[in-house]
Amino acid sequence: MIIMKTDATPDDVRRVSAEVEACGLRAVIIRGDYQTVIGPVGDERRLDFDKLAALPGVKEAARVEAPYKLISREYARFFGEPGAHKTVAIGDVHVGNGEPVIIAGPCAVESRQQIMRMAEAVKAAGAQVLRGGVFKPRSSVHSFQGIGAAGVHDAEEALTWLKDAGKAFDLPVVTEVRGESMVELVAKHVDLMHIGARNMYDQDLLVQVAQQGKPVLLKRHFGASIEELLSFSEYIAAEGNKDIILCERGIVPVGKGKSYTRYTLDLAAVPVIHKETYLPVIVDPSHGTGRRDLIFDMSCAAIAAGADGLMIESHYNPAEALVDGAQMVTPDELKDIIEACRTLYRTKKSLARSAAA
Ligand code: PEP
Ligand code: MN
């Protein structure tokens, strides 16, 4: 981080940026009201901070020892962020500005008719964003790979079904980008690009998705620490894209006995992430539990923990669903969950207000 003097000239700033770039890093210039800060992005071991500190107009040049800083609350003011909470827009829907945002829809897009029917149903239930996986990450090559997967159906047509369903019911849409080859095609058709838990560590995919200029939903890998989730979200921010929504979706259960849930939903991650970064964080109770009968309680718990939104899988006939039937709620159940969550959010807010008074 290179902090310029208040009277540094544009030439001073240019000289420092050129020095950073000559070392093979990118120089992000943040002009504040009183001061300009230059944030080098790349391998900082290549920089000689003593040399940078000695350049004209430089007040201070020092290495910031943190795996993530572009998205960190602590350094927010240096990188032009307000430092409070960032709001990320998915179309007209704003995540992180208070009211929790509900993303809902089937695990997988199964047909044009199915996603149209689900869009209508989740809209009526009160959801604001439509989800539906066109490409599914699966443990077995013999399982259904998603309607857009090679040899199943034309990928672009399947993406168009999702997009049309969203348009028909005024819902922005999100789908998972499973690999680099699909990035541009997916970006063309969705409002929010979803990087699934299995791909959280794929830095090349993260970079390519970040470059599409669309908001990104990054799900926590089931074996990842919170620090890793934040560090990998930094790859997206380093491309100049800070429209990032983080998602807690459960980590691998511990112990040898029956775990009763598909994953262990780590709800403490929500307030921890809020303290570490200004980025919004949502919770996915569907993959987090794998159980329809737990979605109501865990959705409420996520809202109580301060989540900026929820991602809930829903299907009009879960028993017939091609993927994840056991964890999908019906649209009626979804409606009850959304109503309860909104009431809970408002109650918590007024309790916090009276506690502060
Ligand atoms: C999903 O949301 O469709 C999904 C596959 O979730 P995850 O990446 O969290 O497993
Ligand atoms: Mn699923």
Side-chain angles (χ1 to χ4, degrees):
M1 188 105 68
I2 302 139
I3 303 169
M4 302 300 290
K5 290 181 181 157
T6 44
D7 60 356
T9 66
D11 269 348
D12 293 340
V13 174
R14 263 194 296 275
R15 200 175 299 111
V16 173
S17 301
E19 177 63 31
V20 168
E21 279 159 9
C23 296
L25 286 84
R26 212 147 42 78
V28 179
I29 302 173
I30 305 110
R31 290 180 215 281
D33 286 343
Y34 304 105
Q35 223 166 20
T36 296
V37 173
I38 299 167
V41 176
D43 185 355
E44 289 178 11
R45 287 169 309 181
R46 294 175 171 198
L47 294 180
D48 179 343
F49 283 95
D50 290 337
K51 186 175 169 194
L52 287 165
L55 290 176
V58 175
K59 181 175 172 218
E60 211 182 316
R63 191 189 306 277
V64 177
E65 297 286 354
Y68 52 89
K69 42 201 151 179
L70 299 174
I71 57 129
S72 115
R73 181 175 291 290
E74 196 180 348
Y75 298 106
R77 66 200 162 91
F78 295 115
F79 293 107
E81 293 297 335
H85 292 284
K86 183 177 171 69
T87 298
V88 175
I90 315 169
D92 298 336
V93 176
H94 298 270
V95 182
N97 71 347
E99 282 283 332
V101 165
I102 312 296
I103 302 173
C107 177
V109 173
E110 297 171 1
S111 66
R112 183 177 175 85
Q113 169 272 338
Q114 174 247 18
I115 194 66
M116 253 323 151
R117 188 168 158 192
M118 278 315 303
E120 181 172 17
V122 304
K123 176 82 180 189
Q128 296 128 293
V129 180
L130 176 66
R131 66 152 283 149
V134 170
F135 312 100
K136 295 307 303 174
R138 302 306 301 274
S139 301
S140 169
V141 71
H142 305 296
S143 307
F144 173 63
Q145 306 287 307
I147 197 87
V152 184
H153 197 90
D154 180 69
E156 183 147 27
E157 194 185 338
L159 285 163
T160 311
W161 296 341
L162 177 66
K163 180 158 94 178
D164 289 351
K167 282 224 159 43
F169 297 97
D170 196 22
L171 295 163
V173 300
V174 52
T175 207
E176 177 171 350
V177 195
R178 208 181 49 195
E180 283 179 65
S181 63
M182 296 156 187
V183 171
E184 282 178 22
L185 183 64
V186 170
K188 206 168 118 191
H189 296 285
V190 303
D191 304 286
L192 173 66
M193 301 186 69
H194 158 182
I195 296 173
R198 286 156 194 78
N199 284 321
M200 188 206 85
Y201 291 111
D202 186 344
Q203 62 193 68
D204 294 321
L205 178 65
L206 267 58
V207 166
Q208 218 187 317
V209 168
Q211 290 169 348
Q212 305 307 307
K214 296 245 163 144
V216 183
L217 172 68
L218 181 64
K219 295 186 87 174
R220 178 182 182 182
H221 186 277
F222 34 78
S225 65
I226 295 172
E227 186 176 74
E228 284 177 298
L229 171 64
L230 296 171
S231 301
F232 278 86
S233 71
E234 185 97 342
Y235 276 100
I236 302 167
E239 292 306 307
N241 186 345
K242 290 194 189 169
D243 288 328
I244 306 164
I245 300 167
L246 301 169
C247 181
E248 163 58 36
R249 48 77 73 211
I251 50 179
V252 177
V254 295
K256 283 191 172 157
K258 187 174 169 182
S259 73
Y260 296 94
T261 51
R262 189 173 175 183
Y263 293 97
T264 299
L265 198 57
D266 177 14
L267 290 180
V270 174
V272 168
I273 290 170
H274 276 153
K275 287 187 195 298
E276 287 298 312
T277 173
Y278 48 81
L279 296 176
V281 53
I282 66 167
V283 170
D284 169 356
S286 305
H287 294 91
T289 64
R291 287 176 54 170
R292 178 178 317 118
D293 61 333
L294 302 187
I295 307 301
F296 183 98
D297 287 340
M298 296 317 287
S299 296
C300 290
I303 297 304
D308 297 293
L310 298 169
M311 184 163 187
I312 303 176
E313 289 190 341
S314 177
H315 199 286
Y316 47 79
N317 187 355
E320 267 186 12
L322 296 179
V323 195
D324 282 351
Q327 68 192 34
M328 283 197 277
V329 295
T330 63
D332 283 345
E333 290 167 327
L334 179 68
K335 187 165 187 285
D336 291 344
I337 293 166
I338 295 175
E339 275 171 18
C341 286
R342 297 224 161 105
T343 305
L344 197 59
Y345 169 75
R346 282 191 284 273
T347 307
K348 188 186 173 196
K349 198 170 151 187
S350 69
L351 286 174
R353 252 201 311 270
S354 40

